[in-house]
Amino acid sequence: MIRLHHCPQTRSMRTLWLLYELEVEFEVVLHAFDRSLRAPEYLSLSPAGRVPALEIDGERMFETGAITEFLCERFPEANMGRGPDDPDRMAWLVWVHFAETISQHAAALTQQHIMLYEDHMRSPVVMKLEAARLGKCYDALEARLSTPVENRDYLLTSGFSAADVSVGQAVYMARHFAKLDNHPAVADWYERITERPEFQKALPDEGGARLYTQDFYPAWESSG
């Protein structure tokens, strides 16, 4: 049995989407994105009190990059990973883990706009800096996706993989704070991968709990 501990619209969505792509049986345990993640029972699954946590083969895992690598190795028939002898192995590893670079900036902005309930705790400077850093991440993706290489519909020349899932989910979060208007290749790629039914299944249920209550959160203007 595979059991995923998940909060909608968080990093655990990355693992949920991947599990659908792998076409394996699993169950989902939904959690509220609140202090209940600090409960001792949950901390036994994820010691930092974060999602995702994954129970598989009698073991417990946390950290999306590690989970992604393990699942792709555990279920190689889905061709979502790239093995040590694959020419795309290096690029696969780079982009799977680059997703966390994007996510850390999106997480900082999520904290600024959503988790800090008092306005005086929030910083327009931090909002603008982190949104600009997301723009730099988009620049890296644009350079990759606009390179004139055959079959560059995805991050790897060998086709769709968990690298697209990992980075695609990170961009899903990031788009709430930094638009893709100036990155046409990224926008085209993002539209392509999010049309997949497996991505659609990973979205929050209609009317269900959400982390983001609006489509876009602009940076505040400083009053100083």
Side-chain angles (χ1 to χ4, degrees), residues 34-54:
D34 58 22
R35 292 185 179 181
S36 64
L37 296 177
R38 303 295 190 270
E41 182 180 2
Y42 187 74
L43 291 175
S44 70
L45 300 172
S46 179
R50 299 178 183 274
V51 288
L54 190 76

Side-chain angles (χ1 to χ4, degrees), residues 121-139:
M121 298 177 179
R122 299 169 174 170
S123 167
V125 173
V126 171
M127 290 178 181
K128 290 181 178 180
L129 283 174
E130 292 295 337
R133 288 165 180 158
L134 284 177
K136 293 297 183 183
C137 292
Y138 292 169
D139 289 346

Side-chain angles (χ1 to χ4, degrees), residues 146-211:
S146 61
T147 302
V149 175
E150 186 179 2
N151 299 324
R152 187 43 61 79
D153 288 338
Y154 304 106
L155 289 171
L156 305 184
T157 55
S158 54
F160 183 78
S161 74
D164 298 287
V165 170
S166 296
V167 177
Q169 190 278 330
V171 171
Y172 168 82
M173 294 178 64
R175 285 173 67 254
H176 289 88
F177 310 104
K179 297 181 179 180
L180 296 175
D181 296 351
N182 298 321
H183 299 86
V186 181
D188 289 347
W189 162 82
Y190 181 78
E191 181 178 4
R192 187 178 306 117
I193 64 172
T194 56
E195 287 176 345
R196 298 176 69 87
E198 294 79 9
F199 172 82
Q200 297 296 322
K201 291 177 185 177
L203 291 170
D205 293 334
E206 192 70 31
R210 289 175 176 267
L211 178 60

Side-chain angles (χ1 to χ4, degrees), residues 10-50:
T10 68
R11 287 176 176 90
S12 60
M13 181 184 172
R14 190 174 303 160
T15 305
L16 181 61
W17 180 5
L18 177 59
L19 286 166
Y20 282 126
E21 294 284 355
L22 293 173
E23 298 183 339
V24 296
E25 292 187 8
F26 64 95
E27 66 178 44
V28 177
V29 180
L30 285 175
H31 294 268
F33 193 68
D34 58 22
R35 292 185 179 181
S36 64
L37 296 177
R38 303 295 190 270
E41 182 180 2
Y42 187 74
L43 291 175
S44 70
L45 300 172
S46 179
R50 299 178 183 274

Side-chain angles (χ1 to χ4, degrees), residues 14 18 63-73 92 96 162 166:
R14 190 174 303 160
L18 177 59
E63 294 298 327
T64 55
I67 290 171
T68 295
E69 288 193 50
F70 179 83
L71 288 175
C72 290
E73 292 169 4
W92 185 86
V96 163
S166 296

